[in-house]
Amino acid sequence: MQPSVKVVSLVSVGRHPQSGRSRRAEQDGRAVELGLKLASAELTVVHAGNAQEQVLRQYAGMGLLSLTVLEQESDCDAVPVLVSFLQDKRIDVVLTGVRAESGESSGMLPYLLAEKLGWPLVPRVADIISIQGGAAEVLLALPRGQRRAVTVKLPFIASVDNAAQEARQTAFGPGLRADVKVLNVDSVVDEAASQWQISAAKPRPKRIKVVKAKTAADRMKAATAKPMGSGGKVMKDETAAEKAQAIFDLLLEEKVVR
Amino acid sequence: MSDLSSKDSSLDNLFRRDPRAEWIARNRLHPLHGEMLHAGSGEVRGPSGLLRKNPHVIGFIGPNGIKRIDRANVSSAAVGGKKRSGEAKEVQLPLHIVENPDFYIMVVADMVGGRLTGHDKDILGLAHQLVARRNGAVTLVCFGENKETQCDLAGVDRLIHLEGAEYEGFAPEARLTALQKIEAQYKPHHWLFPDSVHGGTDLACRLSARLGERLAAQAWQVNAEQTVCRGASASHDILRDTPRILTLMEECGDAIDETRHQVLPISLDSIEQVSPAVVDKGLIAVDSNAVPLAEAEFILSAGNGIHNWDQFHSTAAVLGATEGASRVAVDDGFMPRSRQVGASGTWVTARVYLAVGISGAIQHMQGIGQCDKVIAINTDAGCDMVKRADLAVIADSEEILAELTRLAQAYSSSKNQEEKSDAA
């Protein structure tokens, strides 16, 4: 990998799914890991928020010498400060998580950055294979474990999927020793979000199976019948070749054989 | 009046007894006994003068469609009542008509495999709740191939179907351009997207960023005024005003099941596409056995009917299928426990499930409940797997697998040749 690639990873404060404590966010950790792979020590890690946050030390403990914090209050919008930070620098790749683990977690941040900066966005990246000649070859994570290769010109923004390389263990001491550079920025308060009523999540009700049968016989049938397919095609007397052809045609039609 | 007749037709199928006729048939001293008994079927004598019994008129068809012979009370059966017609009649649901809609609600469906998913159908149902008896049209926007035949039953009033090479594969930028065109032309009240990894979330975020409208992500309770959506990795509920763009979680609404809809295609002006910044280079071949069984797309599953295991593994490799197994195959030591499909193994969600030599114990059928298409290869035509399957082949597994391997090899070699000729 060429050392000339300038990579920025954006990190946020995560939330442990069981205990609810703050932690290194899963996908942001992967974004830092991918950034370290691409740019090693040259990687810039940026956080918009509280500079005193202890979780930042966990990111720093992944082998970072320094960390940049755009200091602002928790009710402020992260997009404008990040846009002004990224705009005037010659940056090749910006890596983020798909969805934050705290706040609104709408997953909009990379899209808004891409729109404001006019850069292409690559969603749900599993790996960045190579960056050569001003273009990158990127592997996307698709559902069901599939992968898709795409190429994109620099600079671009990528959101890192859970399928990417897992974040390395963080070291406590180096994390404490890392340098936290605090930048003073003009932050904008997120007015729309202050209108919202936020409460602890209510468990969602399970969907109940409602039988809308008119007669007792139909209700009995609905309660006792085994789930059956709607009577498929049965091939009995054809030759083996014809039967296999029928199966293969169905596989092609469903596009599972490529 | 029409309402009454539709009710009658549902009762038509019921088996109705005539107690009086049965009573007369039992009572040989009744003055009407002879007439009642011979009303339906006269005595038939063969050429030699022998009394012929027609076995087909004995008994009656019970409420399950199975023939019943009432041996305790022989004579009453013939007179019993009218026969039940074999198959229940297809019920025609009332048609929901929207003429000159005042507004549109756009639902951009995932259409995984070219069909509406359960998630898509729930969102169409929710869209009808948002229309709320006003004169609005729920419009389905779908890209690429559309194999769905039941759009009318899912609640699609209008349809925008965008097909073409530019929308195939990974093409969020082309799709976004099309959505912008729709926005400019129809100015929909709401844009609804499934909050899913199949591209719904991605497209919603792109549209939201382009239009500069804040979306509500992971919404699960939506009405015309207010929306409850999940935030902070699903640990908070956020109550907010309903925005124009929403991404909706699964089971956010109830799918339409009592009406039919028009599915009228509506026109869209031509779209000028610019060349995308992210260029699709196609899918990468992944090791199909490294994909977790629970989320594999195509599973080749083996049961007791497999004897040539080397052949089974090679067929799975050629087809690019993830291997699964029934409990018997695992207990006999032919497959690892991690490959077991069913109640005590993995519940799979494959789009295509090819079951070879599996008769279909109920525990196994539970495990494949969410599969879309099931194909069975079995020697027993009466087994449960054949009944469940969309395509069942009654044959020995070995020769069918051999044929399948041959077909798959021929297909891949012809594809390779095409690529070579394209390159040249």
Side-chain angles (χ1 to χ4, degrees), chain B residues 98-156:
Chain B
V98 183
E99 305 259 25
N100 306 320
D102 300 336
F103 62 92
Y104 292 91
I105 290 183
M106 299 291 168
V107 176
V108 185
D110 277 337
M111 304 286 279
V112 180
R115 293 193 191 83
L116 289 172
T117 60
H119 198 169
D120 293 336
K121 288 180 185 170
D122 291 350
I123 291 169
L124 285 166
L126 183 86
H128 278 281
Q129 284 174 32
L130 288 176
V131 170
R133 301 193 180 280
R134 289 174 292 163
N135 188 29
V138 173
T139 309
L140 177 74
V141 181
C142 61
F143 296 98
E145 197 182 10
N146 183 1
K147 283 192 252 171
E148 182 64 55
T149 52
Q150 297 200 313
C151 278
D152 53 340
L153 299 179
V156 180

Side-chain angles (χ1 to χ4, degrees), chain B residues 23 77 80 94 153 183 189 242 256 286 289:
Chain B
W23 172 67
L153 299 179
E183 166 76 23
H189 259 207
T242 301
I256 295 291
V286 291
N289 274 335

Side-chain angles (χ1 to χ4, degrees), chain B residues 80-100:
Chain B
K82 58 186 167 191
K83 266 188 186 171
R84 186 193 153 90
S85 61
E87 277 297 301
K89 257 185 238 155
E90 195 65 40
V91 187
Q92 189 82 310
L93 294 171
L95 184 65
H96 175 83
I97 294 172
V98 183
E99 305 259 25
N100 306 320

Side-chain angles (χ1 to χ4, degrees), chain B residues 34-60:
Chain B
E35 291 162 40
M36 202 55 92
L37 206 58
H38 297 296
S41 54
E43 269 182 13
V44 178
R45 301 219 168 246
S48 60
L50 274 176
L51 182 65
R52 294 287 185 199
K53 277 189 185 170
N54 182 2
H56 299 292
V57 300
I58 298 173
F60 61 93

